[in-house]
Amino acid sequence: MKKILIVFGTRPEAIKMAPVVKEFKKCEQDFETKVCVTAQHREMLDQVLSFFNICPDFDLNLMKPNQNLYSLTGDIINGMKPVLEEFKPDIVLVHGDTTTSSAAALAAFYSGAKVGHVEAGLRTYNKLAPFPEELNRQLTGRIADYHFAPTSKSQNNLLQEKTDASSIMVTGNTVIDALIESVEIVNKVHDNDDINRLKELIDPKKKLIVVTGHRRENHGQGFLNICDALNTIAKTEHVQVIYPVHLNPNVQKPVYSILGDNPNIHLIDPLPYEAFIWLMDKAYLIVTDSGGVQEEAPSLGKPVLVMRDTTERPEAVEAGTVILVGTDKNKIADEAMNLIENTERYNKMSQLHNPYGDGKASQRIVDFLLKN
Ligand code: UD1
Ligand code: UDP
C-alpha cells in the first residue's frame, strides 16, 4: 500500500486538488492518502475546503497578513519537516506554481519521498511573468519524479527540457473535473445565500462583466491602469461590473480606493467557488489575470480578456476564446467595449471551447500511480 500526501495552500490549488483527493480516497485498498494544507491562504482556502468537504490531516496554518516570499518559503519548508517525518509518505503530490508547490516539493525531496507534479509543464519561459510562478513551476518540474501535464503542449515543453517521457502523463486539467462536478451541484441547489445575494445585485437589463485580478507583477501601476479601464467601461449605461476582490492588501487598497464609489461597479468579497462559477455562467464577458479562470471560462462559453502580456496557457488564446490585453488601460477598455458592441465578433468568441480536459484528469493520475 502506497502512502500519498497531497499538499496545497492557496484557493486555486485547493479547487484543482479537491477532485484528486476525492479520487485517491476512493482507492483505500491501494493508497493511504492524507492531506496537508500549508494555509498559504486562510479564508479563501477554507471556502474551498468547506465546499468540497475536505478535512485536512495536517494544517500548517501559515498565512500572515501581507506575507512575503522569503518568510513564506522558509515557513513552508520548516513546517513540512515534522509532517513528512510523521507520515513518511512514499509520494507527495503538489500542484502548479505557487510558493506552496515549490517549497513543499523541495521539502518532500529532502525527505526522500517521490514527488508528483499536478499541472506540470506550463511555461512562458519568462522568469518575470508570471512572477514568481514561472520559476516556481520550473523548479517543481526539476524536482518532480512524475509529471501530470494537462495538455500535449505542456507535455512537449517537458520533453524539450529532456524530462523522461515515461514519467509524463497527459491527463487534462483537474480544474475541469472540479468544474463539471460543481456545476452539477450548483444546478441542483436552489437556496444558496451567496447566489441569492448575487441575484439581487445583477441587473438583467445590463451586460454583466465579471472581473478578478491579483497577479504580483500587476501590483502597483498595473492595478491603477486596470481600475482606470474598469471606470471607463462602467460608464456605459447598459453594462454592469461585478468584481469579487482578492484579499491581498496590494489588491484591496487600490481597488477599493479607486472603484469604491462607482455605482455601476460592485466590489464584493471573494466568492465561494460554487457561487463564483454561477456568476461566471451569468457573465457576458470575463476580465481577469487569473490562471484558473482562463481555463474555466472557455468551458462555460465565456470570452475572456486576460490582463497579462503573456500566458502559460496558450491553448484558449489559439482557440480564440481568450485575448491577451496586458495592463494597458486603453487596450483593456477598447477590447471590452468592442466585445460589448460588436455582437458578431462576440458570438464568434463565445463558442464553447474546452482545450483543457474531459473531467477525468484525477482518475488518470490515480491510474498512473497504481501502475508506477
Ligand atoms: C498566491 C500565489 C499565486 C496564486 C494566488 C491565487 C504565490 C507566490 N502566489 O498569490 O500564484 O495565483 O495565490 O490567489 O504562491 N490573503 C488573505 N486571506 C486569504 C488569502 C490571502 O488575507 O485567504 C492576503 C494575506 O494578507 C496574504 C496576502 O493576501 O499575506 C498574499 O497572499 P499570498 O498567497 O502570498 O499571495 P497571492 O497574491 O494570494
Ligand atoms: N474563484 C473563486 N471565487 C472568486 C474568484 C475566483 O472561487 O471570488 C476561483 C475560480 O473559479 C478559479 C480560482 O478561484 O477556479 C482561481 O483562483 P485565483 O484567480 O486566485 O488564482 P490563479 O488561478 O490565478 O492561480
Side-chain angles (χ1 to χ4, degrees), residues 256-264:
Y256 274 95
S257 69
I258 301 173
L259 304 177
D261 294 332
N262 190 325
N264 213 13

Side-chain angles (χ1 to χ4, degrees), residues 13-28:
E13 293 166 87
I15 291 167
K16 291 168 167 185
M17 283 300 227
V20 179
V21 171
K22 189 174 166 192
E23 214 54 48
F24 272 99
K25 295 261 183 186
K26 280 189 203 160
C27 300
E28 275 176 3

Side-chain angles (χ1 to χ4, degrees), residues 9-13 40-46 63-69 72 97-101 131-133 136 214-216 219 246-251 290-291:
T10 64
R11 168 174 68 188
E13 293 166 87
Q40 172 176 338
H41 284 175
R42 188 70 272 175
E43 301 87 337
M44 287 159 56
L45 172 75
D46 291 343
M63 194 193 86
K64 297 197 180 83
N66 211 3
Q67 61 208 0
N68 67 71
L69 294 173
L72 179 62
D97 60 5
T98 66
T99 300
T100 289
S101 334
F131 174 87
E133 288 83 5
N136 283 347
H214 66 84
R215 296 242 80 86
R216 201 170 284 259
H219 293 174
H246 192 290
L247 294 179
N248 191 326
N250 298 300
V251 177
S290 160

Side-chain angles (χ1 to χ4, degrees), residues 36-311:
C36 172
V37 296
T38 62
Q40 172 176 338
H41 284 175
R42 188 70 272 175
E43 301 87 337
M44 287 159 56
L45 172 75
D46 291 343
Q47 284 180 325
V48 183
L49 294 176
S50 138
F51 175 62
F52 286 103
N53 257 319
I54 296 173
C55 182
D57 301 281
F58 305 95
D59 187 337
L60 306 185
N61 197 23
L62 290 177
M63 194 193 86
K64 297 197 180 83
N66 211 3
Q67 61 208 0
N68 67 71
L69 294 173
Y70 306 87
S71 59
L72 179 62
T73 304
D75 288 349
I76 293 170
I77 294 175
N78 283 324
M80 287 303 300
K81 183 173 182 278
V83 175
L84 292 160
E85 287 174 352
E86 182 187 322
F87 183 47
K88 298 187 178 52
D90 300 297
I91 301 170
V92 174
L93 290 180
V94 298
H95 183 279
D97 60 5
T98 66
T99 300
T100 289
S101 334
S102 49
L106 189 58
F109 168 69
Y110 291 157
S111 80
K114 299 251 193 229
V115 174
H117 189 195
V118 181
E119 203 185 70
L122 284 69
R123 298 285 186 269
T124 62
Y125 291 111
N126 175 351
K127 277 197 289 190
L128 301 182
F131 174 87
E133 288 83 5
E134 172 67 13
L135 199 66
N136 283 347
R137 202 187 297 266
Q138 290 194 28
L139 289 172
T140 307
R142 300 318 296 176
I143 296 168
D145 301 279
Y146 310 113
H147 309 263
F148 302 108
T151 65
S152 54
K153 268 188 197 298
S154 38
Q155 177 191 35
N156 285 339
N157 291 335
L158 292 164
L159 290 173
Q160 271 173 32
E161 293 166 13
K162 303 209 181 318
T163 309
D164 177 2
S166 67
S167 69
I168 309 170
M169 167 149 212
V170 179
T171 56
N173 198 311
T174 60
V175 78
I176 304 298
D177 306 14
L179 185 67
I180 291 173
E181 184 191 335
S182 310
V183 165
E184 238 173 68
I185 297 172
V186 171
N187 286 341
K188 280 189 208 138
V189 171
H190 293 295
D191 199 21
N192 174 298
D193 287 350
D194 296 290
I195 295 177
N196 289 342
R197 270 193 291 275
L198 289 170
K199 282 181 184 163
E200 277 168 27
L201 210 57
I202 291 175
D203 180 345
K205 293 189 287 306
K206 294 186 175 183
K207 287 183 173 165
L208 173 63
I209 318 259
V210 172
V211 180
T212 77
H214 66 84
R215 296 242 80 86
R216 201 170 284 259
E217 64 273 17
N218 289 346
H219 293 174
Q221 190 57 46
F223 265 94
L224 302 181
N225 296 348
I226 290 169
C227 291
D228 279 353
L230 293 174
N231 266 331
T232 305
I233 297 165
K235 278 185 192 144
T236 313
E237 277 279 304
H238 57 284
V239 161
Q240 177 185 34
V241 175
I242 299 188
Y243 180 172
V245 188
H246 192 290
L247 294 179
N248 191 326
N250 298 300
V251 177
Q252 291 261 320
K253 230 173 148 191
V255 169
Y256 274 95
S257 69
I258 301 173
L259 304 177
D261 294 332
N262 190 325
N264 213 13
I265 300 182
H266 303 280
L267 303 178
I268 56 174
D269 286 339
L271 287 166
Y273 182 57
E274 66 279 25
F276 186 71
I277 54 178
W278 182 92
L279 182 66
M280 274 201 290
D281 195 45
K282 298 290 168 284
Y284 177 82
L285 175 68
I286 297 172
V287 181
T288 187
D289 65 14
S290 160
V293 176
Q294 280 177 68
E295 294 157 340
E296 292 160 341
S299 290
L300 300 170
K302 302 297 169 181
V304 187
L305 299 183
V306 172
M307 297 180 293
R308 296 170 55 174
D309 295 321
T310 176
T311 179

